[in-house]
């Protein structure tokens, strides 16, 4: 053994029981901040140079990091080796089921998307469909059983993350405590993680979306349902039981609309996708010129769907009544977000989901949202607050589910085990 590696081995041994976690810690720094030179890692972790060196050798031997080749680069810089294995992200939506094969940086390599009727199809049928998509993706990419490091699943309902089961999800009949993770784990022989779709999307934004580099931020999904994911100092905050961020049933002052949850005036029944659909139908029918939408009335006459998406189309076409409906929804959501901003003081709010819309419609929606937040929050809380739309679009759910797996499989402790197994 060379002297240098002997002293490095001593340094690793001197770190005692913490040494096994150290390799995971170094890997996390490379994953989060890489490509990095060894000296950067020393500076960022505060570990001894010899300790960093011995663990980098282990990570390299295990195939988890590799040099980043830059033309003319003098110092060797290391990054996560994206090809040592793959992960799969699954997005279970109300109308679509999507699965994507991703590399270790959560970059989508391949995806499959099929229609779904979540309210009618039970968990067994949906998971069989999902398993078929995963098997197909692996076959197409030539990913063998052992190369799949894990599967992440996002579902539109509350999830007990530790147990890997949905808990009384209102839009998923038959899924209450269904063993989603054990079922898929048995089938594919790899770890499986389940979380609600909004938490998963927040993770996707953190690692691959517009929230990269944001320390603490809020992700808000405004679709059929309304929910929020909280990232605090880079980590997802799930709360005591996993229910953190469930803002759809926050009560709005002055509203008496009945919600299926049993309360009145919940944000979701005032501003969610189903509420917009009901308001759109009313705007198509009414003879009150102040509320009537010519655009939606014309669609109804042509027997085209009059729903939340139609309101977006109408607003984009300049229909005043549709614009007003969207602005009302934006203001209602904004008034609840203002309370969260005062309480949590994030630096960024990322908005996703169907109602927030694409292009010009999305911008108008965001404008009404921003206005309500600024009007009702303290100046200090909004001083540097940025409100943006997701840039991941339809991939947000699958990318986030892949990040969910990577967070768990490549955590300090688990990387240590992985390195131990491979070297
Ligand atoms: Zn409610």
């Amino acid at each position: 053994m060379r002297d240098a590696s002997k002293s490095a081995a001593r340094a690793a041994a001197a770190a005692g029981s913490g040494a096994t976690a150290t390799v995971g810690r170094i890997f996390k720094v490379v994953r989060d901040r890489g490509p990095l030179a060894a000296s950067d890692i020393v500076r960022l972790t505060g570990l001894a140079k010899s300790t960093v060196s011995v663990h980098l050798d282990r990570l390299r031997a295990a195939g988890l990091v590799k040099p980043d080749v830059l033309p003319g680069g003098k110092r060797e810089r290391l990054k996560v080796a994206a090809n040592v294995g793959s992960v799969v992200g699954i997005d279970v939506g109300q109308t679509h089921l999507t699965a994507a094969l991703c590399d270790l940086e959560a970059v989508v390599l391949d995806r499959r998307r099929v229609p779904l009727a979540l309210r009618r199809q039970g968990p067994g049928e949906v998971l069989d469909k999902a398993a078929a998509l995963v098997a197909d993706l692996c076959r197409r990419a030539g990913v063998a059983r052992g190369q799949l490091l894990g599967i992440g699943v996002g579902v539109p309902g509350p999830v007990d993350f530790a147990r890997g089961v949905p808990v009384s999800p209102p839009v998923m009949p038959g899924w209450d405590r269904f063993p989603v993770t054990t079922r898929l784990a048995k089938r594919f022989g790899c770890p499986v993680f389940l979380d609600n779709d909004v938490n998963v999307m927040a993770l996707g934004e953190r690692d691959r979306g517009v929230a990269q580099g944001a320390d603490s931020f809020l992700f808000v999904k405004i679709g059929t349902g309304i929910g929020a994911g909280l990232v605090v100092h880079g980590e997802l905050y799930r709360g005591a039981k996993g229910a953190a961020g469930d803002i759809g049933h926050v009560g709005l002052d002055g509203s008496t609309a009945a919600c299926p949850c049993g309360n009145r005036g919940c944000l979701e029944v005032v501003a969610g996708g189903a509420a917009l659909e009901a308001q759109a139908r009313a705007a198509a029918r009414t003879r009150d010129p102040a509320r009537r939408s010519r655009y939606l009335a014309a669609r109804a006459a042509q027997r085209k769907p009059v729903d939340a998406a139609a309101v977006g189309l109408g607003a984009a076409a300049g229909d005043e009544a549709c614009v007003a409906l969207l602005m009302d929804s934006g203001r209602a959501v904004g008034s609840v977000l203002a309370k969260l901003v005062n309480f949590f003081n994030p630096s960024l709010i990322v908005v996703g989901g169907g109602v927030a819309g694409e292009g010009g419609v999305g911008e108008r929606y965001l404008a009404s949202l921003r206005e309500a937040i600024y009007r009702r929050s303290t100046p200090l809380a909004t001083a540097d607050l940025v409100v943006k739309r997701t840039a991941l679009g339809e991939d947000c759910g699958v990318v986030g589910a892949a990040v969910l797996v990577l967070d768990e499989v490549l955590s300090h402790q688990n990387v240590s085990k992985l390195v131990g197994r491979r070297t």
Side-chain angles (χ1 to χ4, degrees), residues 248-249 259-264 266-269:
H249 301 279
C259 179
C261 79
N263 289 317
R264 287 186 174 274
C266 294
L267 177 62
E268 207 163 282
V269 290

Side-chain angles (χ1 to χ4, degrees), residues 35 54 56 196 257 259 269 274 291 313 320 331 337 339 386 413:
V54 74
L56 282 181
N196 80 66
C259 179
V269 290
R291 293 188 13 242
L313 291 172
E320 285 304 320
R331 266 193 292 274
L337 290 183
K339 293 175 182 151
V386 176
Q413 295 81 357

Side-chain angles (χ1 to χ4, degrees), residues 189-216:
C190 66
V192 179
F193 306 92
L194 177 75
D195 208 337
N196 80 66
D197 57 352
V198 185
N199 277 351
V200 158
M201 288 172 177
L203 287 175
E205 291 296 336
R206 185 198 69 187
D207 281 22
R208 299 235 60 95
V210 293
Q212 290 180 62
D215 176 68
S216 298

Side-chain angles (χ1 to χ4, degrees), residues 103-118:
D103 68 14
L104 293 197
E105 291 178 285
V107 172
V108 173
L109 305 172
D110 193 8
R111 64 172 77 62
R112 291 282 324 266
R113 188 175 164 93
V114 292
L116 191 70
L118 191 59

